[in-house]
Amino acid sequence: MAVPVSFVLNGKPVTVTSPRDRMLVWVLRDELGLTGTKVGCEAGLCGACTVLVDFETVLSCSTTLGDVAGKSVLTIEGLTVEGKLDPLQKAFQDHHAFQCGYCTSGMIMAAWAFLKKKPKATREQIVEAMEGNICRCGAHVRILEAVETAGKGMGGVR
Amino acid sequence: MKRRTLLQATAGALTFFFTSRTSAAPVEPTRPGAYAEDFNAYLKISADGRVGCFVGKTELGQGALTVLAMLVAEELELDPAQVDVLLGDTDLCPWDLPTGGSLTMWQTAPVLRGAAAEVRAVLLGMAAKALGAAAADLALKDGAIWVKAAPTRRTTFGALVQGRKMVRHLGKVKPKPLSDCTVLGRHFPRKDALAKTTGAAKYAGDLRLPGTLHACLLRPPAHGLKLASADTAAAERVPGVRIVRDGNLLAVLHPQPDTARKALALVKGTFEGTELDVDDVRIYQYLVDKAAPGQRVVSSRGDVAAGEKRAATVVEAEYRNAYESHATLEPHTSVAKWEDGRMTVWASNQSPFVFRDSVAEALKLDKDKVRIVTPFVGGGFGGKLVAPVAVEAARIARQVPGVPIQVAWNREEDLFLDGYRPAAVVKLRAGLDASRGAITFWDSTVAGVSQGEAEFTYEMQTNRYQAPAVPDLHPLKAGAWRAPNAHTNAFARECQLDALAAKAGMDPVTLRRRLANDPRLLHLLELALEAFGWEPAPGPTGRGIGVACGAWRQALVVAVAQVAVDKTTGKVQVLRFLEAVDVGLVVNPEGARQQVEGAITMCIGQALSEEIRFKGGRILDKNFDTYLLPRFSAIPRMQVVFANSGTTITQGIGEPPVVPVAAALANAVFDATGARVTHVPFTPKRVLAALKRVPAK
Ligand code: FES
Ligand code: FES
């Protein structure tokens, strides 16, 4: 049953009227038109749909609208503030850390949440944090470099 | 729509929201199989001087947008950022071949460079007239043209052309000599970087045309079965659902993609037909048996039986590979709209013109009644050369005029409906002479693929290659998977050579050096050894280092891998991977490097974990929990080195680096353990089985 559910999306309050058990990824893409969040498996296996809820990574294909009621959701569209790229986005650009780009939103969101907590992470820790995100094009090496670069920018020089 | 709007719309990245035919339509009728000769088909200069480039390829992630802009920028003395590229629109772009087989650089690039060179000459001619100077006395840069001796006497591309079509033609004009090039070979930012890192890049599933209905199709549970009847009553009770049928096709339509999917689950279908009695274990014998009657010698030299008598060392082996999916992260997706007697399909695709023709054929429409528009494509690898999803979307759209219909396969459908890299068996018998410098015979029989790229630039005086000519050999749908045939055949050949060398007590590189009959290969081998810092020794050395060579057309690759094998679990961990690549002139070094890294990564999955399991017509792998793609923890330290041996023809880079990966890894496993893995993927289970076969010392 469709009911109004309110949450904060990329810093702004929103209310959507949708069944509470509707998956967040469809609410974002279909209802709110934010198509930067991608769908690769719909089963929590690829990470393409990664977004942040209260700054924790969640897979929006496996998270319901009800789950985020009253919480704060951050998507790739919310990382660019007033046209200013986040340093992590910049690092992905500089390292050419993507090919087809389909995994990129999920990669950036997963890495962003991780770096906020652990800017001084080792390569092994980054690998572990990113293990749930699949890149079929094989941009992994560059993604790791981009995350390291952004981490250093955040003062995380090991 | 005016050209000006068009070019504005294309600024920065490819866009695709052109809903009507425009003045920018190809200037000459598209002739299938031939590149347009009028440069106006490829290049347009707008009144403000921006250059638009129109090419019938697509951006799959391989960097076509960037490299094509570089080619144009080079001839017109621009920065690639000043060139707007529009790809993959069959109304706006001249005919082209599919985006695959590493053909963009091989076939389209020379055509585009030629067109740009002609535009440069035409512009210089126009400027000469306007400025009252000889063309030879003019200079150009960043869209301006001036008299060298009097730089204030100047004009611009925009002022000369004024947004009109250029009417002068000079015929063939030679592009700049490489020595004068300032753009090619340099590093430029990717043109798709901003869109792809901000979530702004639109893929077919992101279009959201007003009024779109999402269509989910009823699928048979197994290949070989067809829909007989269906009960749609429960699905139809879901508010907003529409059912569309067209022959065997049954689709549930709904404005919300997830609701359409849920409603589809309420449809009860019955299916009839017969599944083939084969599975992923018995497939190899199945292929061998079925191919046997059609086996024919496709190439041979010398007397194999006599060669065998001269051999001092003989190795006989059978190499296998499983079916493997393309598994692009973006599943196959198309949006189709039937309006005013025309079908427009926004398709995730690698071959706009093939898609156009397939849709036209399926709907019995004239080709010019179909338009394919290509948004960003979330990976291709050969999987999106064929158009089933576009045909499905178009068939449904034909029944609901004016309504955009989106068909987005989910992962299970994508793994079920893909045209796989074919399973294959290569049987090899080969011998080495007593002086360990010559192959005395090489006898190869392949089933499942062709003998493509089986032969290599090795001296093999006596050889015989057999391949089957059996139609419908495969029980599952087979397709082109990045470097088709080549990686299957290279795996067999390079593992076989390795086994011969080891059996004869020599190191794997020395044997290849002795056999190499192309100085380019010798050079690449040296380059690879030096960059890797490897001194080969007869294996197994325990170090876990393996080498393999491969070719794709004129491109050559040498791969060196280092692995660690866990002998209790059978797990192979790749520690280092190097490729030395000779693809001639590297137009976009950073892009090329990326392609090589991507190919190595992808083929680590191919070699170690990716396999489609099936039983009859049922595909058992339905998602990424069992179909295992390489993840971050599988990624080794990587090195890529380019050699330019002077081949001026630029080779594509999408396929060559794929070819030797699995072989290098298998040879590394041997060097680590003494076990020969001959079945791709060499999963932990297969590695353990191979370890058991190693004779105790
Ligand atoms: S789509 Fe959510 S994890 Fe794959
Ligand atoms: S860039 Fe294509 S899936 Fe990662």
Side-chain angles (χ1 to χ4, degrees), chain A residues 30 38 45 100 131 142, chain B residues 203 206 208 258 597 631 633:
Chain A
D30 193 50
K38 301 298 184 220
L45 299 165
C100 81
E131 192 69 353
R142 287 160 185 273
Chain B
Y203 301 77
D206 300 336
R208 311 187 76 249
D258 44 341
E597 292 164 359
R631 291 178 183 264
S633 60

Side-chain angles (χ1 to χ4, degrees), chain A residues 3-30:
Chain A
V3 292
V5 177
S6 299
F7 59 99
V8 175
L9 175 61
N10 297 332
K12 294 197 189 79
V14 289
T15 302
V16 291
T17 304
S18 236
R20 284 181 74 89
D21 65 351
R22 194 172 191 202
M23 288 303 167
L24 180 61
V25 69
W26 301 120
V27 174
L28 292 171
R29 290 178 52 85
D30 193 50

